Amino acid sequence: MTVPLWIWLLTIVVILALLAFDYFFHIRKAHVPQLREAAIWSSIYVGIAVVFGIAVLVFGGGTMGGEYFAGYITEKALSVDNLFVFLVIMASFKVPREDQQKVLLFGIVFALIARTGFIFAGAALINTWSWIFYVFGLILLLTAGNLLKPGGHEDDQANNVIIRLARRFMHTSDDYDGDKLLTVVNGKKALTPMLLVMVAIGGTDILFALDSIPAIYGLTQNVYIVFTATAFSLMGLRQLYFLLDGLLDRLIYLSIGLAAILAFIGVKLFLHALHENNLPFINNGEHVDVLEITTGFSLSVIIGILVLTVVASLVSKAGKAQTAINNARRHAESYLDLGYTDDPGERERIYQLLLEEERGIEAMDQKYRDQAKDVEAIRAQVAAVHARHDELGTATR
């Protein structure tokens, strides 16, 4: 189905309006979003995406609507996975909690720009060479294999080549100056860590696009559906980050689930490539009679894998223990780094979260607690937090 130009323009205007609204009404003034605020706005953005999908279903037909929902769910799942890396980057740069929203919004805008470029590049490649589906399928299978490697989310994403070059050849500061991108150090202009963290997130966004765009082209070749499913999956990602704060580590099997989804779509792309085949060394350049996977079946498989992944993650005793201990470490590191936030109330909130985590950990089976990764080092950090809290309490009395 060909989408008229005026619908394209209207869609782009709506997306830009949502981004502008996000900035002027939520982010312009630095603050830490409360759980209620994050939950409400996450629900609103998901609601907007669902309403749009229903409109596609009504006006575009069942196939087009199914392709949108399959693409949206897949891209949303990949976006949640990307939050792990954003968490690593912002922890590496010790971004103040109240300024993390601006970094996330920049990441969303840059991701939308990067993925839009890849979407139209992918469409041009598909229209020119049908064998590009073989390449897309291979990319997804390799990505699926990479997701199964241990420690995939613990790589030093912040120390990428762009950041190393910036720090080597440009004058950079070690400290933040509010949310400014440039500051003055010893009378000279310098790049702040805020600018560097945005560069780091922008660089990883490009890498994410290399995975996500082939994935959605495996579900639909309708460029409008690819664009809207991708765009709406990114909307509300900032709120979701704060809503899932402390719960991301709980999804211990998310990488396995995403690997299964990407592998499934990769196989689907290979089957489609065989059906459209014109490579002379495969079946003498003729198409191969193979089973093509329908959109409805794809949607069912994607939803089924995600549900199984989330349920398995939430009921796993080892996962619960590791998650609680990881959260305790994160809260301890934030508290001990007094530059993390200038807000005493926020620091006290972090301390109370740590106490809650400790109570939960103590109630868990000793076997799972002792098997957790880096547990002894984390216990030492928690003990240091209690000592620091006592010192600060004594100083204020």
Side-chain angles (χ1 to χ4, degrees):
M1 177 181 174
T2 302
V3 178
L5 178 61
W6 70 268
I7 293 182
W8 269 99
L9 294 175
L10 180 62
T11 304
I12 292 170
V13 168
V14 169
I15 291 170
L16 291 177
L18 287 173
L19 291 171
F21 176 83
D22 221 8
Y23 177 77
F24 287 106
F25 290 93
H26 291 131
I27 296 175
R28 200 171 186 182
K29 183 180 178 181
H31 71 286
V32 180
Q34 298 301 312
L35 184 63
R36 183 172 180 274
E37 177 188 342
I40 289 172
W41 284 103
S42 291
S43 301
I44 288 173
Y45 279 110
V46 170
I48 291 172
V50 170
V51 169
F52 178 83
I54 293 172
V56 172
L57 199 64
V58 171
F59 296 106
T63 299
M64 197 170 175
E67 289 176 349
Y68 168 81
F69 279 112
Y72 172 76
I73 293 170
T74 301
E75 291 295 309
K76 197 69 174 180
L78 289 171
S79 296
V80 172
D81 189 55
N82 295 350
L83 291 180
F84 282 99
V85 181
F86 288 169
L87 190 65
V88 171
I89 291 174
M90 285 196 278
S92 299
F93 281 93
K94 299 180 180 177
V95 180
R97 179 78 167 172
E98 52 268 29
D99 291 322
Q100 289 181 3
Q101 291 198 93
K102 284 189 178 179
V103 175
L104 286 167
L105 183 63
F106 169 83
I108 291 168
V109 172
F110 192 89
L112 187 56
I113 294 171
R115 294 185 191 196
T116 300
F118 279 103
I119 286 168
F120 287 103
L125 290 171
I126 289 169
N127 290 332
T128 306
W129 300 296
S130 61
W131 53 260
I132 201 68
F133 287 111
Y134 288 114
V135 178
F136 284 178
L138 181 61
I139 289 173
L140 294 185
L141 291 176
L142 290 174
T143 303
N146 190 54
L147 283 172
L148 295 176
K149 291 180 181 178
H153 294 297
E154 297 175 7
D155 296 329
D156 188 7
Q157 296 286 344
N159 193 27
N160 62 40
V161 64
I162 299 174
I163 297 300
R164 292 198 299 271
L165 287 173
R167 282 180 165 155
R168 181 174 180 181
F169 295 107
M170 304 182 76
H171 187 42
T172 61
S173 68
D174 295 326
D175 300 317
Y176 288 91
D177 185 3
D179 59 0
K180 294 179 181 177
L181 304 182
L182 296 172
T183 189
V184 177
V185 178
N186 297 326
K188 294 173 62 178
K189 281 191 176 181
L191 307 179
T192 68
M194 182 63 70
L195 179 59
L196 294 179
V197 71
M198 288 184 174
V199 172
I201 284 184
T204 55
D205 276 334
I206 294 174
L207 296 178
F208 293 152
L210 291 173
D211 300 335
S212 69
I213 299 310
I216 194 168
Y217 268 122
L219 299 168
T220 177
Q221 282 83 62
N222 186 313
V223 179
Y224 181 76
I225 295 300
V226 172
F227 173 76
T228 51
T230 301
F232 283 114
S233 73
L234 293 171
M235 296 291 104
L237 195 60
R238 174 186 63 80
Q239 292 86 351
L240 192 62
Y241 176 89
F242 291 96
L243 181 62
L244 295 180
D245 184 26
L247 296 178
L248 284 173
D249 289 328
R250 184 74 173 269
L251 302 176
I252 59 172
Y253 300 126
L254 180 61
S255 290
I256 297 174
L258 288 176
I261 290 173
L262 293 180
F264 168 75
I265 298 175
V267 170
K268 184 176 186 293
L269 277 168
F270 269 108
L271 292 175
H272 183 73
L274 288 169
H275 190 268
E276 302 289 327
N277 177 65
N278 57 13
L279 294 177
F281 53 85
I282 297 179
N283 198 34
N284 295 319
E286 299 294 326
H287 83 278
V288 182
D289 251 345
V290 292
L291 174 69
E292 284 229 66
I293 300 172
T294 65
T295 300
F297 183 72
S298 298
L299 184 58
S300 301
V301 169
I302 290 167
I303 293 174
I305 291 174
L306 285 177
V307 169
L308 185 62
T309 297
V310 171
V311 171
S313 296
L314 294 179
V315 302
S316 167
K317 291 183 178 179
K320 289 179 182 178
Q322 185 66 66
T323 298
I325 290 171
N326 284 347
N327 286 339
R329 174 177 58 185
R330 188 158 53 84
H331 294 137
E333 288 174 347
S334 297
Y335 192 91
L336 292 171
D337 179 14
L338 295 183
Y340 175 76
T341 179
D342 294 326
D343 184 355
E346 173 65 10
R347 192 171 294 124
E348 182 62 25
R349 186 188 74 87
I350 294 170
Y351 184 71
Q352 292 303 320
L353 287 173
L354 179 59
L355 292 180
E356 186 179 336
E357 291 291 351
E358 282 189 282
R359 288 191 290 269
I361 292 168
E362 288 299 320
M364 292 178 180
D365 193 313
Q366 184 74 35
K367 175 178 68 174
Y368 296 113
R369 282 187 279 159
D370 292 342
Q371 289 176 349
K373 183 180 177 183
D374 299 329
V375 65
E376 292 303 326
I378 295 170
R379 283 170 179 161
Q381 284 180 312
V382 171
V385 169
H386 290 307
R388 177 68 64 83
H389 189 263
D390 289 342
E391 289 175 11
L392 292 172
T394 301
T396 55
R397 285 198 292 269

